[in-house]
Amino acid sequence: MGSNLSLLTAAAVMSLTASSCGGPTELPKGANATGVPSQTAAAPPAELVPAAETAAPAASAVSTAPVSEAKPKSPCPEDMAFVDTTYCPDVELECLKKEHNKPNKIIICHEFAEQAQKCKTELRRQRYCIDKYEYPNKEGAHPPVMVDWYDSLQMCQEQGKRLCWESEWVAACEGPKKTPFPYGYKRDPKSCNIDNPWYQPVLKNIYSREAWIQDQELFRLDQSVSSGEMPGCVSGFGVHDQTGNVDEWVNAEKNYEKSKWAGLKGGAWGHVRNACRPMTVSHEPEFTYYFVSFRCCADAAPDPAAEADPKLWRPPPQPTPKKHGAFSKGWTPKTRAPHQPSPPKP
């Protein structure tokens, strides 16, 4: 897994995250450092009123021709969810039940107030496509771990996609109702793969150059589940497994001291934040770990009306720094690991 220097660097990074890669969380405040434009308040175009709700024509004018049941074509590929929504770059949420997690030095919110978000900046419109599942974006498949930001970007680009921007990931997670968790306002380990016990990792084995040693350690630690295995872990836009299971790389919308242009969203299967808004920025883009993975996003098919909307947010160019070293496809378990949660009963 790289040179001895890389191993020592990785081990140093791990000491900051102890059990579950909590790390400090920073949220963008208003305008950001990467040139993302500030937008004025706006909402997506109103949906068309169904024909059944419009005034009925005169009986003599009613057509007897069969009504087409064909669904309008989505602006996204079939395996991606279409998101067209408003997004608040700097939101205020009221937490009703807090927990101070000492091992990770973080605050975990177990329940938020059921009220509309208080946006401290202007809303903007976001319109894009996002994978319904973690990479490889197939229900029943297993997301790879031990991939860094560079690996994740390359695998998305191989599919003609890109890594998601943090706001795209959040908007898809919050859904049309803009809930703090994809499933609502209260933290629920029965909905998503979270709050599993922590097992002490052996760092020298995680980063061993001997494939069999690394494989054995990663298998011992694995508590992930297959994509879509927990049907309750889905947002209002139909995006699965965003909070919990594995941490997911995204493009940060401002530069941070350590993570630079990268961030990790969702938390993994342990007892960490596991909500839509928090982002871990305590790891370099080269960081790999036994619960770090990703999903992909893409631009939606062009729509003249949307493109003419002055409140439409247009993502900045994808960061394209060069990786030092070989790319990796990551690691996936060949069979169900001993600590993997049991599938939920129907």
Side-chain angles (χ1 to χ4, degrees), residues 36 88 93 137 147 153 167 190 205 260 290 292 329 334:
V36 178
C88 176
L93 298 172
N137 192 29
V147 291
L153 172 61
S167 61
K190 294 182 180 179
N205 292 345
K260 300 180 175 68
Y290 64 95
V292 170
K329 293 289 185 180
K334 298 179 179 64

Side-chain angles (χ1 to χ4, degrees), residues 151-168:
D151 302 326
S152 305
L153 172 61
Q154 172 155 314
M155 284 186 269
C156 285
Q157 290 178 332
E158 289 173 352
Q159 295 186 343
K161 303 175 184 178
R162 56 175 169 77
L163 272 181
C164 302
W165 289 90
E166 61 179 280
S167 61
E168 293 175 321

Side-chain angles (χ1 to χ4, degrees), residues 248-310:
E248 299 183 24
W249 284 112
V250 295
N251 298 319
E253 291 176 25
K254 61 177 281 188
N255 287 327
Y256 294 94
E257 181 178 357
K258 199 161 190 178
S259 69
K260 300 180 175 68
W261 57 83
L264 287 165
K265 298 289 296 182
W269 57 70
H271 187 63
V272 287
R273 294 183 184 92
N274 308 119
C276 293
R277 285 278 169 169
M279 182 170 73
T280 299
V281 293
S282 56
H283 304 301
E284 297 88 347
E286 296 85 2
F287 175 72
T288 63
Y289 209 36
Y290 64 95
F291 51 65
V292 170
S293 191
F294 67 102
R295 79 177 66 220
C296 307
C297 280
D299 294 337
D303 175 75
E307 293 299 321
D309 187 348

Side-chain angles (χ1 to χ4, degrees), residues 34-85:
T34 57
V36 178
S38 299
Q39 302 292 346
T40 55
E47 295 180 354
L48 296 177
V49 178
E53 298 179 12
T54 59
S60 60
V62 175
S63 171
T64 58
V67 178
S68 173
E69 296 182 359
K71 294 182 180 180
K73 185 177 180 181
S74 172
C76 301
E78 291 185 2
D79 61 349
M80 302 187 81
F82 174 52
V83 177
D84 191 352
T85 190

